[in-house]
Amino acid sequence: MSSSKATAGRCPSTVEPVQASKDHMSGRGAWAVTLCLIFLTCIGHGVQAQSLEPRAFANTPVGMNFFLAGYAYSKGGITVDPSIEIEDANITTHTGLVSYVRSLGVLGNSAKFAVLVPYVFLEGSGRVEGELRERKVDGLADPLIRLSYNFIGAPALTMAEYGGYRQDTIVGANLFVTAPLGQYDPDRLVNIGTNRWSFRPQVGISKALGPWTLEGSMEGTFYTDNTNFFGGNTRSQDPVYGGQVHVIRQLKRGFWGSLDATYYTGGRSSLNGVEKQDFQENWRFGATLALPVSPRNSIKLFGSTGMFARTGTDFDTLGIVWQHRWGGGI
């Protein structure tokens, strides 16, 4: 099953001359980490491989702490697990999230650690084997841990040293891990949690070109088996492979915008060893606007939509995230 829809947009960024530390960090360092998590709200309904993440490799001064709180609204043919076959799915989710991020220095290069916990309200309907079913549930979704490390072009810097830093080319890697701790009922086909682990390694490059930044990445998401799927069955899933492209524009006084696209494919599942015809191939597009409101606080608005989608992943998302930062000498 596939569909075609209108698309949304995004934008890029470069490092401009650093002003006072507070001005610079309110526009760049603070948003560097926020953007790393910008579309991770999507994990609230289990579509981690589809998240759009501009500035995922941006440098940040060491020793900084970030607290994020946000909300995302999604509607369409979305399920916790995109490969679960539900016809005429019409599902709405309201996702709240909280996250903590810490910037580090590892072997002379910048790194980050992040943990994100979503809470989801889900309501919807769809046909399973021709029978109309409805579901309304809320609870914690699977929490996510993220480890980030930049190999080239993003040295570990103190706040004072960061004032003279100018990005050129950054090469880095991320590892996303979700734990099976979300709300899960094995007697239900649609849940908030997934009852399995997932691991998503990602490598990427970010190139600054004046006020623009071009960014691209490749990734794969790998899953453990769900051994208690819908009445005690064992469900396996092949890896999902994908890539992202971002064009980011730095605007005045720390404002920036982003136009992004992601493509992913794979993810065919098996039920008790029998392979299903649920191969995924999807395009998504999105846009983000970052709005610093004070030296320590900022707000981000984002949205995304499906251009081409198969197997229960045709949905739209809108959201907002507030970020507060401290530490690191600010």
Side-chain angles (χ1 to χ4, degrees):
M1 180 171 62
S2 65
S3 64
S4 179
K5 300 186 64 175
T7 68
R10 288 236 186 218
C11 274
S13 117
T14 292
V15 177
E16 58 193 50
V18 178
Q19 303 171 19
S21 295
K22 288 185 177 181
D23 291 337
H24 179 258
M25 286 306 298
S26 64
R28 293 193 177 281
W31 281 106
V33 176
T34 305
L35 280 199
C36 290
L37 298 171
I38 184 168
F39 281 95
L40 292 186
T41 52
C42 290
I43 69 168
H45 28 71
V47 288
Q48 183 188 152
Q50 305 168 31
S51 60
L52 294 165
E53 304 157 62
R55 298 193 68 180
F57 307 96
N59 198 359
T60 305
V62 299
M64 296 191 67
N65 303 281
F66 300 83
F67 174 79
L68 297 90
Y71 164 79
Y73 168 84
S74 296
K75 185 176 179 62
I78 181 174
T79 64
V80 171
D81 187 333
S83 61
I84 293 176
E85 297 183 34
I86 301 178
E87 297 180 349
D88 301 324
N90 185 11
I91 297 177
T92 299
T93 64
H94 301 270
T95 303
L97 72 90
V98 293
S99 177
Y100 170 75
V101 184
R102 171 78 176 183
S103 61
L104 309 167
V106 178
L107 301 177
N109 293 312
S110 66
K112 300 184 187 78
F113 166 81
V115 58
L116 184 148
V117 180
Y119 192 96
V120 177
F121 294 84
L122 181 152
E123 182 176 10
S125 63
R127 296 186 180 277
V128 180
E129 298 181 348
E131 180 182 349
L132 180 64
R133 299 190 183 186
E134 297 181 346
R135 180 79 158 124
K136 185 175 183 180
V137 65
D138 66 273
L140 289 173
D142 295 344
L144 178 141
I145 295 175
R146 177 177 185 157
L147 304 174
S148 304
Y149 185 74
N150 290 321
F151 301 100
I152 299 172
L157 302 171
T158 64
M159 178 67 75
E161 295 170 332
Y162 191 80
Y165 172 76
R166 299 293 186 276
Q167 179 185 335
D168 184 11
T169 300
I170 295 176
V171 179
N174 296 293
L175 175 63
F176 304 81
V177 180
T178 62
L181 300 176
Q183 186 278 340
Y184 185 79
D185 182 350
D187 294 325
R188 299 281 189 168
L189 187 61
V190 174
N191 284 285
I192 292 173
T194 61
N195 197 42
R196 64 180 180 180
W197 291 84
S198 75
F199 304 88
R200 178 161 64 106
Q202 178 189 64
V203 294
I205 184 169
S206 178
K207 174 66 176 179
L209 299 169
W212 300 87
T213 298
L214 304 180
E215 191 171 87
S217 63
M218 300 180 64
E219 60 193 52
T221 306
F222 303 85
Y223 308 93
T224 62
D225 292 348
N226 179 354
T227 57
N228 195 17
F229 174 73
F230 201 38
N233 296 289
T234 296
R235 185 172 178 282
S236 305
Q237 187 173 3
D238 292 342
V240 175
Y241 300 101
Q244 302 185 29
V245 176
H246 310 277
V247 182
I248 307 159
R249 170 72 182 190
Q250 185 69 36
L251 305 172
K252 294 181 179 181
R253 291 190 167 274
F255 290 76
W256 59 264
S258 176
L259 294 173
D260 305 341
T262 182
Y263 170 81
Y264 51 97
T265 185
R268 191 186 304 275
S269 69
S270 299
L271 188 63
N272 299 324
V274 179
E275 192 173 78
K276 302 177 69 177
Q277 301 302 312
D278 53 7
F279 183 84
Q280 300 179 48
E281 184 180 11
N282 302 277
W283 282 95
R284 288 192 65 77
F285 293 83
T288 304
L289 180 63
L291 308 168
V293 296
S294 74
R296 293 178 181 266
N297 298 281
S298 51
I299 294 174
K300 175 179 61 279
L301 307 172
F302 61 87
S304 68
T305 190
M307 175 66 173
F308 172 80
R310 298 173 60 179
T311 323
T313 55
D314 186 12
F315 63 97
D316 300 314
T317 295
L318 294 172
I320 183 171
V321 174
W322 165 75
Q323 175 190 273
H324 176 74
R325 65 185 181 89
W326 73 96
I330 60 175

